[in-house]
């Protein structure tokens, strides 16, 4: 339930209806204009209204820092981040009063309220019925997106549709939680409308807006999560075969740089690319490092488990002990493999590890997605930093009490740890002037891309005994990545059973979508979340323990925020919270 304080906040924001950056000029409507009598007159008003619905995705706690969801899973680590209480959530030390639970709840209902406003007032706007249907379908797609996030995080939630007007029913918004099935059916009904009335594509001015293909893709995801495999298959096959023009981008790395949304792989994304003058981009300081534009603080870093998942290009699983016997069990071996020695001033490396060339060769032989996603120690692919307002190529190094500093050409972990660091989504130099500060990246953040559709469809095929069809789709993603295809010869590539395919899907999704926030939901729906994360020792590269995850069955769902329950006694709490 949206508490009264939240309702006032949402009502105020609705008067702003911030426009989608990149395609439209930013504007804000005066507070006394957003009502049927003075604002909703023509298509320009409808367009401004729907842009406000999209803009809700950019709030920090929701899609614009969706990558932080990986902290909740086995492939990401949260470092010293006190904002919203995310560290407490990531490490299993939160409770129903933790700020993150409340702020995400409020932001998502904000987006829903904006969508409801559009759906309410567009029918009275002077324009064709076809355009009215299109704008309503956009709003219903976005409402489905926001409600689905609430469903995935909290389970059943109160349903407020366009019949609920905040300015008129402020004192009566005390609904009880609907069941998960009721919420899912509500979402699917919205998506049926979106699948019917959304266009297949937009002209250049409308790039980034919801399409028919996006609606089918989201529908397929929701049905897959609900284990309705036949229905999910139908929706995802429509995305693949319906003439939408989606295809894997030949260059994986391009997807996570400015302009990546221009690729035919991007089905729906948070639109950030709008130039340095706009103040509505994705914050990158949580994921980038001190050598990045703006001196970022890398609160999210990849786990060792993620890095070790990346296969060799020939498809062999990676094993440290093959290279350095005793590595996995002996911390001193890890330190010998990785540690460099700095000079007396702690500025430059005086001596590299004796096996540094062996490390470099190993990294060069691994799945190319690893180097795109992660800044790897000692490789020649230096990180393109921005130091003292100038380009600076920086090397990733590991050392005792690591003194690495970007001033001297090294990647510095903001918290002094020897963890891996992300390259994916982080700024390269100053992005040719597109980035103005560390809070507003011009990189459009993918919500759904075609690789996800292929792997979701592979999962559906596997669950309905179409093993060969599943393998063919997995191989499409592997081929783009530049690694050996399944069932292409060597025994380590053989996949013939449902369990073997499922194991491949798990790993493929982890490495393909690292830092895209999907792993948390994947583990939950596979019933692997607790077993994969509870008691997980989150270590740095040399095995030093940074934290230990505590995950219980209750963590499968977030708690209903206590402040909301205080305002609405009908809101029951999730089990064990």
């Amino acid at each position: 339930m949206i508490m009264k304080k939240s309702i006032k906040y949402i009502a105020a924001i609705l008067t702003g209806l911030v426009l989608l950056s990149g395609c439209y000029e930013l504007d804000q409507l005066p507070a006394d204009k957003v009502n049927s009598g003075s604002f909703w007159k023509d298509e320009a008003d409808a367009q401004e209204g729907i842009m406000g619905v999209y803009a809700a995705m950019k709030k920090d706690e929701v899609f614009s820092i969706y990558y932080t969801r990986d902290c909740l899973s086995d492939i990401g680590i949260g470092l010293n981040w006190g904002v919203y209480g995310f560290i407490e959530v990531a490490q299993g030390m939160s409770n129903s009063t933790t700020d993150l639970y409340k702020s995400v709840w409020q932001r998502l209902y904000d987006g829903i309220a904006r969508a409801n406003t559009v759906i309410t007032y567009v029918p009275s706007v002077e324009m064709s019925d076809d355009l009215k249907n299109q704008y309503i379908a956009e709003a219903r797609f976005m409402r489905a997106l926001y409600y689905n996030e609430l469903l995935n995080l909290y389970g059943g939630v109160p349903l407020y549709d366009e019949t609920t007007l905040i300015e008129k029913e402020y004192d009566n918004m005390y609904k009880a939680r609907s069941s998960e099935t009721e919420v899912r059916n509500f979402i699917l009904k919205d998506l049926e409308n979106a699948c019917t009335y959304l266009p297949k594509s937009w002209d250049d001015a409308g790039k980034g807006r919801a399409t028919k293909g996006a609606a089918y893709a989201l529908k397929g995801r929701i049905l897959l999560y609900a284990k309705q495999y036949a229905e999910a298959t139908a929706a995802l096959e429509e995305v693949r075969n319906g003439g939408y023009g989606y295809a894997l981008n030949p260059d994986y790395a391009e997807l996570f740089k400015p302009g990546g949304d221009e690729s035919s792989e991007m089905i729906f994304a948070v639109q950030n690319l709008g130039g340095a003058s706009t103040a509505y981009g994705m914050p990158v300081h949580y994921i980038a490092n001190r050598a990045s534009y703006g001196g970022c603080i890398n609160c999210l870093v990849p786990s060792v488990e993620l890095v070790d998942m990346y296969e060799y290009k020939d498809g062999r699983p990676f094993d440290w002990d093959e290279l350095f016997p005793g590595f996995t069990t002996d911390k001193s071996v890890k330190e010998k493999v990785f540690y460099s020695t700095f000079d007396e001033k702690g500025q430059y490396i005086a001596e590299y590890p004796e096996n540094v060339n062996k490390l470099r060769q190993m990294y060069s032989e691994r799945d190319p997605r690893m180097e795109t996603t992660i800044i790897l120690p000692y490789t020649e692919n230096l990180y393109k930093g921005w130091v003292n307002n100038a380009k600076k190529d920086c090397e990733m190094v590991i050392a005792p009490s690591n003194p690495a500093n970007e001033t001297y050409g090294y990647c510095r972990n903001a918290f002094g740890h020897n963890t891996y660091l992300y390259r994916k989504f982080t700024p390269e130099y100053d992005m040719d002037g597109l980035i103005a500060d560390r809070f507003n990246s011009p990189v459009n953040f993918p919500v759904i891309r075609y690789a996800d559709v292929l792997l979701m469809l592979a999962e559906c095929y596997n669950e309905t005994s179409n093993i060969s069809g599943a393998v063919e789709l997995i191989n499409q993603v592997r081929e783009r990545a530049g690694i050996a295809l399944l069932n292409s010869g060597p025994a380590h590539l053989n996949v013939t059973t449902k369990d073997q395919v499922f194991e491949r899907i798990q790993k493929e999704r982890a490495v393909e979508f690292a830092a895209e926030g999907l792993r948390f939901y994947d583990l939950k729906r596979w019933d692997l979340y607790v077993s994969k994360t509870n008691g997980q020792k989150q270590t740095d590269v040399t095995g030093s323990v940074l934290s230990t995850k505590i995950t219980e069955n209750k963590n499968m769902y977030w708690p209903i925020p206590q402040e909301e329950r205080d305002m609405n006694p009908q809101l029951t709490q999730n089990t064990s919270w």
Side-chain angles (χ1 to χ4, degrees):
M1 171 59 212
I2 310 174
M3 63 181 181
K4 290 188 177 183
K5 181 178 178 182
S6 303
I7 297 170
K8 289 180 179 178
Y9 164 76
I10 291 169
I13 288 183
L14 282 170
T15 66
L17 293 174
V18 183
L19 300 184
L20 184 66
S21 67
C23 299
Y24 304 91
E25 294 180 1
L26 295 175
D27 191 14
Q28 287 196 338
L29 305 173
D32 60 348
K33 297 294 184 182
V34 186
N35 58 64
S36 57
S38 60
F39 176 66
W40 299 94
K41 294 293 189 180
D42 54 26
E43 187 183 353
D45 294 340
Q47 185 165 280
E48 282 196 273
I50 196 64
M51 290 305 104
V53 183
Y54 288 112
M57 286 194 293
K58 297 184 179 184
K59 300 301 181 182
D60 269 12
E61 303 92 324
V62 193
F63 292 98
S64 71
I65 55 168
Y66 210 68
Y67 50 78
T68 58
R69 294 282 194 274
D70 277 5
C71 286
L72 306 177
S73 75
D74 58 334
I75 65 172
I77 303 173
L79 296 177
N80 300 57
W81 183 18
V83 181
Y84 313 123
F86 202 94
I87 283 295
E88 289 86 346
V89 175
Q91 296 181 3
M93 300 182 293
S94 62
N95 57 53
S96 62
T97 65
T98 300
D99 282 346
L100 183 69
Y101 300 132
K102 180 181 70 174
S103 57
V104 170
W105 177 282
Q106 291 177 358
R107 296 299 194 189
L108 289 169
Y109 270 113
D110 165 28
I112 289 164
R114 295 181 188 212
N116 285 340
T117 300
V118 172
I119 296 167
T120 298
Y121 290 124
V122 158
S124 64
V125 172
E126 294 180 5
M127 59 183 176
S128 69
D129 287 343
D130 286 345
L131 281 174
K132 289 179 182 180
N133 287 334
Q134 176 185 286
Y135 278 106
I136 290 171
E138 275 188 273
R140 293 185 72 169
F141 170 86
M142 293 302 299
R143 185 169 70 180
L145 184 70
Y146 294 132
Y147 264 125
N148 187 54
E149 190 71 6
L150 284 166
L151 176 65
N152 287 334
L153 291 173
Y154 301 96
V157 294
L159 286 171
Y160 295 98
D161 62 14
E162 65 274 16
T163 63
T164 302
L165 298 178
I166 289 177
E167 67 269 24
K168 294 180 179 179
E169 301 183 45
Y170 167 71
D171 290 322
N172 300 306
M173 295 178 69
Y174 294 117
K175 285 187 176 182
R177 299 171 66 181
S178 296
S179 68
E180 290 187 49
T181 299
E182 289 169 334
V183 175
R184 186 176 299 110
N185 289 340
F186 181 90
I187 293 168
L188 291 172
K189 185 177 179 180
D190 269 352
L191 291 177
E192 284 299 321
N193 178 274
C195 290
T196 301
Y197 293 109
L198 283 177
K200 275 193 170 184
S201 62
W202 293 88
D203 59 17
D204 287 346
K207 283 182 178 178
R209 295 171 72 171
T211 61
K212 191 183 295 287
Y216 275 110
L218 181 57
K219 179 181 177 182
R221 177 184 284 179
I222 291 163
L223 290 167
L224 172 63
Y225 283 20
K227 296 181 170 55
Q228 298 180 34
Y229 300 114
E231 296 88 343
T233 297
L236 295 169
E237 285 183 338
E238 169 65 22
V239 180
R240 187 185 180 205
N241 304 318
Y244 300 98
Y246 299 126
L248 294 175
N249 192 54
D251 188 336
Y252 178 75
E254 283 183 353
L255 293 167
F256 317 108
K257 299 177 182 180
D261 66 320
E262 301 296 324
S263 165
S264 57
E265 182 168 345
M266 202 68 73
I267 295 176
F268 189 69
V270 179
Q271 298 295 297
N272 294 316
L273 182 57
S277 64
T278 63
Y280 295 95
M282 180 178 76
V284 295
H285 60 299
Y286 301 128
I287 195 170
N289 64 81
R290 282 294 191 194
S292 304
Y293 190 101
C296 301
I297 52 178
N298 55 269
C299 296
L300 169 65
V301 297
S303 71
V304 169
E305 286 80 358
L306 170 64
V307 179
D308 291 351
M309 285 183 193
Y310 289 92
E311 302 169 357
Y312 286 102
K313 292 176 184 176
D314 65 7
R316 286 179 296 129
F318 175 70
D319 185 350
W320 278 110
D321 288 326
E322 284 184 0
L323 293 172
F324 306 105
F327 183 97
T328 57
T329 56
D330 191 336
K331 191 174 187 299
S332 66
V333 175
K334 293 185 177 73
E335 292 174 349
K336 183 178 180 181
V337 167
F338 278 112
Y339 274 166
S340 287
T341 303
F342 274 75
D343 60 24
E344 293 181 357
K345 293 183 179 180
Q347 296 176 349
Y348 297 99
I349 289 181
E351 185 176 357
Y352 281 94
E354 63 178 76
N355 289 303
V356 68
N357 289 329
K358 194 173 183 179
L359 276 175
R360 289 169 177 160
Q361 181 180 353
M362 175 271 290
Y363 286 130
S364 71
E365 295 173 352
R366 301 277 291 281
D367 182 337
R369 288 174 294 188
M370 182 173 71
E371 193 170 47
T372 291
T373 303
I374 296 155
I375 304 172
L376 300 167
Y378 308 116
T379 62
E380 294 180 0
N381 185 12
L382 302 180
Y383 175 64
K384 297 176 180 179
W386 186 258
V387 181
N388 296 325
N389 205 34
K391 294 179 179 179
K392 188 81 170 183
D393 291 334
C394 294
E395 183 180 14
M396 172 74 173
V397 299
I398 306 296
S401 303
N402 199 341
N405 192 290
E406 60 278 4
T407 301
Y408 306 108
Y410 303 110
C411 293
R412 175 162 56 114
N413 188 308
F415 301 105
H417 300 304
N418 276 313
T419 62
Y420 291 106
L421 297 169
Y422 272 113
R423 188 188 301 270
K424 192 174 182 178
F425 294 122
T426 62
E428 293 186 347
Y429 299 144
D430 68 339
M431 291 182 162
D432 295 324
L434 288 177
I435 188 168
D437 58 61
R438 68 186 193 177
F439 300 100
N440 296 287
S441 168
V443 176
N444 292 335
F445 189 82
V447 177
I448 306 176
R449 53 187 178 91
Y450 189 57
D452 192 12
V453 168
L454 292 178
L455 292 179
M456 288 192 294
L457 187 54
E459 192 172 339
C460 290
Y461 284 170
N462 190 47
E463 292 294 336
T464 53
S465 301
N466 183 359
I467 302 296
S468 61
V471 170
E472 189 272 328
L473 295 177
I474 297 169
N475 276 341
Q476 286 189 37
V477 178
R478 291 174 68 87
E479 184 174 27
R480 188 269 296 278
I483 57 176
L485 304 185
L486 303 180
N487 293 336
S488 63
H492 60 257
L493 292 170
N494 288 348
V495 177
T496 58
T497 69
K498 178 180 177 181
D499 287 345
Q500 289 173 335
V501 172
F502 178 55
E503 182 179 352
R504 290 288 182 168
I505 289 172
Q506 289 181 57
K507 291 182 179 179
E508 202 66 39
R509 290 186 65 84
V511 299
E512 175 71 21
F513 305 117
E516 294 182 52
L518 297 180
R519 182 69 169 179
F520 173 53
Y521 296 138
D522 283 347
L523 293 180
K524 281 180 57 176
R525 64 192 177 84
W526 294 330
D527 296 322
L528 294 174
Y529 181 52
V530 175
S531 62
K532 289 280 189 181
T533 60
N534 187 38
Q536 179 190 12
K537 302 291 184 183
Q538 299 186 298
T539 69
D540 71 4
V541 174
T542 65
S544 295
V545 178
L546 306 175
S547 61
T548 301
K549 280 187 182 291
I550 301 172
T551 310
E552 306 172 49
N553 286 331
K554 73 173 187 177
N555 298 115
M556 295 284 284
Y557 288 108
W558 285 6
I560 304 302
Q562 187 58 46
E563 194 169 351
E564 302 291 343
R565 295 190 67 227
D566 290 342
M567 295 299 299
N568 178 11
Q570 292 197 77
L571 286 178
T572 57
Q573 186 57 279
N574 283 326
T575 303
S576 300
W577 285 101

